[in-house]
Amino acid sequence: MSDADAEVPKLIAVADGIHVRQEVDNIAWLDMGDHLLVVDALEQPELKDEVFDAIASTAPGKPVRYVLNTHTHYDHVALNDAFRRRWGAEIISHAATPLQPEGRQFAGERRTVRMIPMPGCHTDEDCIVWAPEDKVLFVGDIFGWGLIPLTVNLRRESRDLLLDTYQRLIALAPAVVVPGHGPICPDNELQRWVDYFLWLEKTISEACAAGETDAEIVARVEPPADMRNWWRFLKWKHDDTVAKIIKACRKGWVGPSNGE
Ligand SMILES: [Zn+2]
Protein backbone atom coordinates (compact mmCIF):
# COMPACT_ATOMS: atom_id res chain seq x y z
CA MET A 1 0.00 0.00 0.00
CA SER A 2 1.49 3.35 -0.98
CA ASP A 3 1.49 6.22 1.48
CA ALA A 4 -1.19 8.01 -0.59
CA ASP A 5 -3.47 4.95 -0.62
CA ALA A 6 -3.11 4.63 3.14
CA GLU A 7 -4.46 8.14 3.58
CA VAL A 8 -7.72 7.71 1.62
CA PRO A 9 -10.56 6.93 4.05
CA LYS A 10 -11.70 3.31 3.99
CA LEU A 11 -14.23 1.32 5.94
CA ILE A 12 -12.68 -2.02 6.85
CA ALA A 13 -14.30 -4.96 8.64
CA VAL A 14 -11.41 -6.42 10.64
CA ALA A 15 -13.73 -9.06 12.15
CA ASP A 16 -17.44 -9.81 12.03
CA GLY A 17 -19.00 -6.79 13.73
CA ILE A 18 -15.74 -4.86 14.17
CA HIS A 19 -15.23 -1.96 11.77
CA VAL A 20 -12.42 0.52 11.35
CA ARG A 21 -12.61 3.77 9.44
CA GLN A 22 -8.98 3.87 8.41
CA GLU A 23 -7.30 7.07 7.31
CA VAL A 24 -4.43 9.10 8.80
CA ASP A 25 -6.42 8.90 12.06
CA ASN A 26 -8.35 5.72 12.81
CA ILE A 27 -11.67 5.22 14.57
CA ALA A 28 -13.23 1.83 15.25
CA TRP A 29 -16.54 0.53 16.52
CA LEU A 30 -17.38 -2.89 17.89
CA ASP A 31 -20.84 -4.39 17.87
CA MET A 32 -21.40 -5.61 21.41
CA GLY A 33 -24.91 -6.95 20.73
CA ASP A 34 -27.47 -4.32 21.63
CA HIS A 35 -25.01 -1.42 21.62
CA LEU A 36 -21.68 -0.30 20.17
CA LEU A 37 -18.33 0.48 21.71
CA VAL A 38 -16.06 3.00 19.95
CA VAL A 39 -12.26 3.12 20.10
CA ASP A 40 -10.75 6.59 19.62
CA ALA A 41 -12.49 9.65 18.27
CA LEU A 42 -10.33 11.35 15.63
CA GLU A 43 -8.91 14.84 15.23
CA GLN A 44 -11.53 16.58 13.08
CA PRO A 45 -14.95 17.30 14.62
CA GLU A 46 -16.30 18.03 11.12
CA LEU A 47 -16.12 14.29 10.34
CA LYS A 48 -19.04 13.70 12.70
CA ASP A 49 -21.78 13.17 10.10
CA GLU A 50 -19.62 11.00 7.89
CA VAL A 51 -18.63 8.81 10.84
CA PHE A 52 -22.18 8.57 12.19
CA ASP A 53 -23.40 7.54 8.71
CA ALA A 54 -20.70 4.88 8.47
CA ILE A 55 -21.63 3.54 11.89
CA ALA A 56 -25.33 3.45 10.97
CA SER A 57 -24.53 1.62 7.71
CA THR A 58 -22.88 -1.24 9.62
CA ALA A 59 -25.12 -1.37 12.68
CA PRO A 60 -28.47 0.30 11.95
CA GLY A 61 -30.17 1.77 14.99
CA LYS A 62 -27.63 0.63 17.56
CA PRO A 63 -26.54 3.23 20.08
CA VAL A 64 -22.94 3.97 20.97
CA ARG A 65 -22.75 3.35 24.70
CA TYR A 66 -18.98 3.67 25.27
CA VAL A 67 -16.15 5.67 23.72
CA LEU A 68 -12.70 4.46 24.78
CA ASN A 69 -9.79 6.86 24.21
CA THR A 70 -6.47 4.99 24.01
CA HIS A 71 -5.01 8.31 25.22
CA THR A 72 -6.29 11.86 25.17
CA HIS A 73 -4.05 13.53 22.60
CA TYR A 74 -6.12 15.97 20.51
CA ASP A 75 -6.11 13.66 17.50
CA HIS A 76 -7.95 10.90 19.41
CA VAL A 77 -10.77 12.80 21.13
CA ALA A 78 -12.42 15.27 18.72
CA LEU A 79 -15.74 13.39 18.44
CA ASN A 80 -16.06 12.58 22.15
CA ASP A 81 -18.61 15.34 22.70
CA ALA A 82 -20.57 14.40 19.59
CA PHE A 83 -20.96 10.84 20.87
CA ARG A 84 -21.94 12.12 24.28
CA ARG A 85 -24.57 14.44 22.82
CA ARG A 86 -25.99 11.96 20.31
CA TRP A 87 -26.26 8.86 22.54
CA GLY A 88 -25.20 9.93 26.01
CA ALA A 89 -22.11 7.76 25.52
CA GLU A 90 -19.76 7.27 28.45
CA ILE A 91 -16.29 8.58 27.53
CA ILE A 92 -13.49 6.58 29.11
CA SER A 93 -9.78 7.31 29.35
CA HIS A 94 -7.08 6.39 31.83
CA ALA A 95 -6.40 10.11 32.27
CA ALA A 96 -9.96 10.96 33.32
CA THR A 97 -10.80 7.80 35.24
CA PRO A 98 -7.66 5.83 36.17
CA LEU A 99 -8.05 2.11 35.58
CA GLN A 100 -6.74 -0.70 37.75
CA PRO A 101 -3.74 -2.54 36.24
CA GLU A 102 -6.01 -5.37 35.06
CA GLY A 103 -8.16 -2.83 33.25
CA ARG A 104 -11.88 -2.62 32.71
CA GLN A 105 -14.02 -5.24 31.05
CA PHE A 106 -16.98 -4.53 28.79
CA ALA A 107 -19.24 -7.54 28.38
CA GLY A 108 -21.85 -7.55 25.62
CA GLU A 109 -24.06 -10.32 24.29
CA ARG A 110 -21.89 -10.58 21.24
CA ARG A 111 -18.35 -10.13 22.53
CA THR A 112 -16.17 -9.09 25.42
CA VAL A 113 -13.71 -6.21 25.27
CA ARG A 114 -11.05 -5.25 27.76
CA MET A 115 -9.35 -1.85 28.10
CA ILE A 116 -5.94 -2.29 29.75
CA PRO A 117 -3.54 0.46 30.83
CA MET A 118 -0.05 0.09 29.39
CA PRO A 119 1.40 3.50 30.17
CA GLY A 120 4.80 4.87 29.28
CA CYS A 121 5.36 3.96 25.62
CA HIS A 122 3.74 7.09 24.18
CA THR A 123 2.07 8.87 27.09
CA ASP A 124 1.66 8.13 30.79
CA GLU A 125 -2.01 7.25 30.11
CA ASP A 126 -1.70 4.78 27.20
CA CYS A 127 -4.27 2.01 27.08
CA ILE A 128 -4.80 -0.83 24.73
CA VAL A 129 -8.20 -2.27 23.82
CA TRP A 130 -8.33 -6.04 23.36
CA ALA A 131 -11.14 -8.13 21.93
CA PRO A 132 -10.00 -11.62 22.95
CA GLU A 133 -12.59 -13.73 21.10
CA ASP A 134 -11.78 -11.91 17.86
CA LYS A 135 -8.07 -11.51 18.63
CA VAL A 136 -8.27 -7.89 17.53
CA LEU A 137 -5.89 -5.53 19.33
CA PHE A 138 -6.12 -1.73 19.31
CA VAL A 139 -2.79 -0.25 20.34
CA GLY A 140 -3.35 3.49 19.95
CA ASP A 141 -0.03 5.21 19.32
CA ILE A 142 2.14 2.54 20.95
CA PHE A 143 2.82 1.27 17.42
CA GLY A 144 3.75 3.89 14.82
CA TRP A 145 4.88 2.07 11.67
CA GLY A 146 8.60 2.41 12.42
CA LEU A 147 8.52 5.26 14.90
CA ILE A 148 9.86 5.12 18.40
CA PRO A 149 6.55 6.00 20.10
CA LEU A 150 8.15 7.59 23.19
CA THR A 151 7.46 11.24 23.82
CA VAL A 152 10.22 11.22 26.44
CA ASN A 153 13.91 10.65 25.68
CA LEU A 154 15.07 7.17 24.78
CA ARG A 155 16.85 6.13 27.97
CA ARG A 156 17.53 2.79 29.54
CA GLU A 157 14.35 2.88 31.59
CA SER A 158 12.04 4.04 28.79
CA ARG A 159 13.65 1.61 26.37
CA ASP A 160 13.15 -1.33 28.74
CA LEU A 161 9.52 -0.37 29.37
CA LEU A 162 8.90 -0.09 25.64
CA LEU A 163 10.34 -3.51 24.89
CA ASP A 164 8.56 -5.10 27.87
CA THR A 165 5.26 -3.64 26.69
CA TYR A 166 5.80 -4.96 23.18
CA GLN A 167 6.42 -8.42 24.63
CA ARG A 168 3.10 -8.20 26.49
CA LEU A 169 1.34 -7.22 23.27
CA ILE A 170 3.00 -9.96 21.24
CA ALA A 171 2.10 -12.50 23.96
CA LEU A 172 -1.59 -11.77 23.34
CA ALA A 173 -1.04 -13.30 19.87
CA PRO A 174 -3.36 -10.87 18.07
CA ALA A 175 -4.68 -11.79 14.64
CA VAL A 176 -5.15 -8.12 13.74
CA VAL A 177 -3.44 -5.04 15.19
CA VAL A 178 -5.10 -1.67 14.68
CA PRO A 179 -2.80 1.30 15.29
CA GLY A 180 -4.03 4.79 16.06
CA HIS A 181 -2.88 6.04 12.67
CA GLY A 182 -2.44 4.61 9.20
CA PRO A 183 -2.93 1.11 7.82
CA ILE A 184 -4.08 -1.86 9.82
CA CYS A 185 -1.21 -4.25 10.49
CA PRO A 186 -1.72 -7.31 8.29
CA ASP A 187 1.16 -9.35 9.64
CA ASN A 188 3.63 -9.64 12.48
CA GLU A 189 4.60 -5.97 12.57
CA LEU A 190 4.99 -5.71 16.35
CA GLN A 191 7.75 -8.33 16.40
CA ARG A 192 9.28 -6.88 13.24
CA TRP A 193 9.53 -3.50 14.92
CA VAL A 194 11.22 -4.99 18.00
CA ASP A 195 13.77 -6.77 15.79
CA TYR A 196 14.36 -3.55 13.85
CA PHE A 197 14.86 -1.55 17.04
CA LEU A 198 17.30 -4.08 18.53
CA TRP A 199 19.23 -4.24 15.25
CA LEU A 200 19.55 -0.45 15.16
CA GLU A 201 20.55 -0.25 18.80
CA LYS A 202 23.28 -2.89 18.44
CA THR A 203 24.63 -1.62 15.12
CA ILE A 204 24.62 2.02 16.15
CA SER A 205 26.13 1.48 19.60
CA GLU A 206 28.96 -0.58 18.09
CA ALA A 207 29.56 2.07 15.43
CA CYS A 208 29.62 4.82 18.07
CA ALA A 209 32.12 2.82 20.13
CA ALA A 210 34.28 2.41 17.00
CA GLY A 211 34.36 6.18 16.55
CA GLU A 212 32.23 6.43 13.41
CA THR A 213 30.65 9.75 12.46
CA ASP A 214 26.89 10.25 12.31
CA ALA A 215 27.05 10.24 8.50
CA GLU A 216 28.91 6.94 8.48
CA ILE A 217 26.37 5.42 10.86
CA VAL A 218 23.40 6.64 8.81
CA ALA A 219 24.95 5.05 5.71
CA ARG A 220 25.39 1.78 7.60
CA VAL A 221 21.74 1.45 8.65
CA GLU A 222 19.80 1.59 5.40
CA PRO A 223 16.02 1.03 5.72
CA PRO A 224 15.44 -2.75 5.68
CA ALA A 225 14.03 -4.04 2.39
CA ASP A 226 10.95 -5.63 3.98
CA MET A 227 10.02 -2.40 5.78
CA ARG A 228 10.36 -0.02 2.84
CA ASN A 229 6.60 -0.10 2.21
CA TRP A 230 5.73 0.71 5.84
CA TRP A 231 3.56 3.79 6.07
CA ARG A 232 5.66 7.01 5.91
CA PHE A 233 8.73 4.94 6.79
CA LEU A 234 10.99 6.20 4.00
CA LYS A 235 9.57 9.73 4.16
CA TRP A 236 10.79 10.40 7.67
CA LYS A 237 10.20 7.67 10.23
CA HIS A 238 13.37 5.63 9.64
CA ASP A 239 15.54 8.77 9.68
CA ASP A 240 13.87 9.96 12.87
CA THR A 241 14.37 6.63 14.61
CA VAL A 242 18.02 6.40 13.57
CA ALA A 243 18.66 9.96 14.79
CA LYS A 244 17.09 9.23 18.18
CA ILE A 245 19.15 6.08 18.68
CA ILE A 246 22.39 7.79 17.63
CA LYS A 247 21.70 10.54 20.16
CA ALA A 248 20.90 8.04 22.92
CA CYS A 249 24.05 6.01 22.20
CA ARG A 250 26.30 9.08 22.13
CA LYS A 251 24.88 10.17 25.48
CA GLY A 252 25.35 6.69 26.92
CA TRP A 253 21.61 6.34 27.52
CA VAL A 254 21.35 3.03 25.67
CA GLY A 255 24.00 0.63 24.50
CA PRO A 256 25.81 -2.65 24.98
CA SER A 257 25.53 -2.68 28.78
CA ASN A 258 21.86 -3.48 28.25
CA GLY A 259 23.13 -6.90 27.24
CA GLU A 260 20.96 -7.73 24.24
ZN1 LIG B 1 -0.75 10.37 20.49
Side-chain angles (χ1 to χ4, degrees), residues 71 73 75-76 122-123 141 181:
H71 61 299
H73 279 169
D75 51 347
H76 294 257
H122 180 59
T123 66
D141 290 357
H181 305 279

Side-chain angles (χ1 to χ4, degrees), residues 161-255:
L161 178 65
L162 185 57
L163 293 176
D164 286 349
T165 303
Y166 265 69
Q167 290 315 319
R168 291 177 69 192
L169 299 177
I170 291 164
L172 293 171
V176 181
V177 175
V178 182
H181 305 279
I184 288 157
C185 299
D187 203 4
N188 200 9
E189 280 81 359
L190 296 176
Q191 184 63 54
R192 184 66 187 96
W193 186 83
V194 170
D195 295 343
Y196 166 72
F197 178 87
L198 293 175
W199 165 67
L200 285 178
E201 184 185 45
K202 180 171 192 292
T203 307
I204 292 172
S205 62
E206 287 172 358
C208 286
E212 291 190 18
T213 65
D214 287 6
E216 286 169 328
I217 295 172
V218 168
R220 182 187 285 282
V221 289
E222 292 261 310
D226 65 315
M227 294 175 68
R228 298 180 76 92
N229 65 344
W230 279 28
W231 183 54
R232 296 180 169 179
F233 187 69
L234 297 183
K235 260 185 197 158
W236 62 278
K237 291 181 174 181
H238 174 71
D239 292 345
D240 185 77
T241 296
V242 168
K244 282 178 175 158
I245 296 179
I246 291 175
K247 177 182 168 188
C249 287
R250 295 246 187 257
K251 300 254 189 194
W253 292 342
V254 298

Side-chain angles (χ1 to χ4, degrees), residues 129-152:
V129 178
W130 172 232
E133 294 112 337
D134 309 280
K135 296 201 162 293
V136 176
L137 176 64
F138 301 87
V139 292
D141 290 357
I142 291 175
F143 178 81
W145 285 109
L147 277 182
I148 294 173
L150 298 170
T151 46
V152 297

Side-chain angles (χ1 to χ4, degrees), residues 93-151:
S93 70
H94 191 45
T97 43
L99 302 169
Q100 297 297 313
E102 67 273 18
R104 176 168 166 181
Q105 179 148 304
F106 300 84
E109 295 157 4
R110 189 159 176 191
R111 53 173 47 87
T112 304
V113 170
R114 185 170 279 277
M115 181 178 189
I116 306 168
M118 291 203 186
C121 291
H122 180 59
T123 66
D124 57 11
E125 47 149 331
D126 299 321
C127 289
I128 61 148
V129 178
W130 172 232
E133 294 112 337
D134 309 280
K135 296 201 162 293
V136 176
L137 176 64
F138 301 87
V139 292
D141 290 357
I142 291 175
F143 178 81
W145 285 109
L147 277 182
I148 294 173
L150 298 170
T151 46

